[in-house]
Amino acid sequence: SFDPDANVQFGEGGAGTFSDGKLTTRISDPRCRWVLETLVRFGAPEDILVSAKPHIGTDLLRGVVRRLRDTVIAAGGEVRFRCPVQAVSLRDGAVRSVTTPQGEIPSPLLVCALGHSARDSFAMLHALGIRMEAKPFSAGVRIEHRQADVDRALYGKNAGHPLLPPGEYQLSYREGERGVYTFCMCPGGVVVPAASADGETVVNGMSVRARDGKNANAALVVGVGPGDFGEGPLDGMRFQERLERAAFRDGFSAPVQTAGRFLKGEAGAVFGNVRPTYARGVYAADLESILPPPVCQWLRTCLRRFGQRQRGFDSEDTVLTGVETRTSSPVRILRGESLEASVAGLYPCGEGAGYAGGIVSAAVDGVRVAERILAQYAPF
């Protein structure tokens, strides 16, 4: 049965652990190097320091995260599992304490490194009057091909050469304010469940370090914003919930449609060489009954466009599994130059707070917040 307190989003390491430790980032902050070196110090492969597309793998990353936790504990820190924050107490416009199932914890400082799926925390902070805004994100599906076909499309006659890594792609198209792109591409990977609440179906992708699975998968997603779901701070979050509930049928099973049928507007799936890797069961569906019309329209447009750029991308038996909605946070918790929110002592941090887009950028934002707090208390 589903456990709302321990799942892919809220287990040790969060969603980053189970999207296999991709460490690519577009930020150029010098702290990025320190983050990579720290991961190596705790057991990540040394090649992440030199690779253009560094990748740890879920199988190795779980050990890295465990060793990080052990070091925090050895230094005098506490790590409390199954201990969600239920309330934040304020006094005179500043943080006073947090309430948890294990009791009240007094503190004048609260770093909110929530992750992008902490909907109860977003709602709690909004009810407290913490200033926040809806943030654009993306929604769509996981697309699966055979890895051998991706290799042939990218490497041609050299596909299969032992010195070549499994092929990776990154495709994008923009027209006006709307963009479609592939994201979190997993060579030799699998599609996995990523829900954080019962009655909802969400998918993600992951690879182990060897990336030796039969299929490749990636998010194929369309940018959405307040024009699609409303201007209220939590409207994007509610939009996500509606799509995920529409995709839910029973348990963890996920809706699938093959690309050939999707492009023709025909429901269902006719599997060929590509078989779904989603291990919790799939059901043949009409994605148009789950995703909004603009998203489906843009997915069709870009399946064809990307098929012209990468042979086989839009093959009849390409598998589309829904829904992919957790590409980034639907909320930004506003903060000032001090990195504090609209109340003193509250530091929104990382991807869930709307200030990062992956493992490295979230870690860098955490370091920046830590530096700010250390500077504030340095005189003591």
Side-chain angles (χ1 to χ4, degrees):
S1 63
F2 182 81
D3 188 337
D5 294 324
N7 51 67
V8 165
Q9 304 292 354
F10 301 137
E12 185 168 56
T17 299
F18 296 95
S19 60
D20 74 19
K22 293 179 187 68
L23 303 176
T24 50
T25 181
R26 286 188 289 248
I27 68 171
S28 56
D29 193 295
R31 298 175 183 85
C32 291
R33 179 71 183 186
W34 182 87
V35 169
L36 296 179
E37 289 173 347
T38 300
L39 290 170
V40 169
R41 188 154 51 90
F42 285 90
E46 289 193 16
D47 60 26
I48 67 171
L49 299 176
V50 295
S51 173
K53 295 180 178 178
H55 162 255
I56 297 175
T58 294
D59 48 340
L60 301 188
L61 187 57
R62 283 182 287 195
V64 172
V65 173
R66 191 179 305 114
R67 286 185 284 274
L68 283 165
R69 187 227 313 163
D70 290 343
T71 301
V72 169
I73 294 170
E78 285 186 58
V79 178
R80 300 191 185 187
F81 292 108
R82 297 186 178 275
C83 185
V85 172
Q86 298 170 314
V88 177
S89 298
L90 307 177
R91 179 184 294 160
D92 300 326
V95 172
R96 184 177 69 87
S97 66
V98 296
T99 302
T100 78
Q102 298 174 17
E104 186 177 41
I105 303 173
S107 176
L109 295 175
L110 176 61
V111 178
C112 285
L114 301 170
H116 59 33
S117 297
R119 291 171 175 165
D120 55 344
S121 298
F122 292 150
M124 175 188 65
L125 294 173
H126 182 250
L128 277 174
I130 306 299
R131 293 180 59 228
M132 55 180 66
E133 62 186 10
K135 183 179 117 346
F137 58 100
S138 301
V141 295
R142 275 274 151 183
I143 185 166
E144 283 195 271
H145 306 90
R146 288 199 315 166
Q147 183 64 50
D149 294 336
V150 173
D151 291 347
R152 275 192 289 272
L154 297 178
Y155 296 140
K157 65 181 182 180
N158 294 314
H161 192 286
L163 293 180
L164 289 173
E168 296 183 62
Y169 60 79
Q170 186 172 353
L171 301 165
S172 63
Y173 174 72
R174 175 170 291 277
E175 190 173 301
E177 295 299 311
R178 187 83 73 177
V180 186
Y181 61 100
T182 62
F183 168 77
C184 186
M185 195 267 165
C186 300
V190 293
V191 178
V192 295
S196 57
D198 205 3
E200 299 172 359
T201 293
V202 191
V203 294
N204 195 0
M206 58 159 273
S207 306
V208 296
R209 172 67 177 173
R211 289 180 159 175
D212 55 359
K214 186 175 289 187
N215 282 9
N217 74 77
L220 177 65
V221 289
V222 181
V224 293
D228 298 291
F229 48 70
E231 300 284 345
L234 301 182
D235 285 351
M237 185 181 86
R238 304 301 180 207
F239 176 80
Q240 281 181 331
E241 289 178 321
R242 289 195 297 274
L243 301 188
E244 293 162 13
R245 287 177 186 146
F248 181 84
R249 192 176 75 167
D250 56 80
F252 285 99
S253 63
V256 298
Q257 192 169 3
T258 41
R261 296 186 73 86
F262 178 70
L263 288 170
K264 295 171 190 171
E266 299 173 357
V270 178
F271 299 126
N273 289 327
V274 188
R275 309 292 297 187
T277 58
Y278 187 84
R280 299 308 297 263
V282 297
Y283 66 91
D286 180 2
L287 291 171
E288 199 137 25
S289 69
I290 298 171
L291 295 166
V295 171
C296 289
Q297 174 191 334
W298 279 90
L299 288 176
R300 286 196 178 95
T301 296
C302 283
L303 268 170
R304 296 187 178 100
R305 280 185 172 271
F306 295 165
Q308 293 168 358
R309 290 162 58 180
Q310 182 173 304
R311 183 180 175 187
F313 192 86
D314 58 347
S315 294
E316 293 269 326
D317 65 346
T318 295
V319 173
L320 309 176
T321 308
V323 290
E324 170 89 34
T325 50
R326 309 289 181 91
T327 51
S328 64
S329 179
V331 168
R332 178 173 287 112
I333 304 171
L334 301 180
R335 66 189 190 188
E337 289 187 12
S338 68
L339 305 186
E340 291 171 288
S342 50
V343 299
L346 178 63
Y347 291 84
C349 176
E351 187 163 349
Y355 295 97
I359 292 172
V360 173
S361 57
V364 165
D365 197 56
V367 173
R368 291 179 64 225
V369 167
E371 289 171 349
R372 178 69 65 165
I373 293 171
L374 287 169
Q376 179 182 347
Y377 284 88
F380 299 97

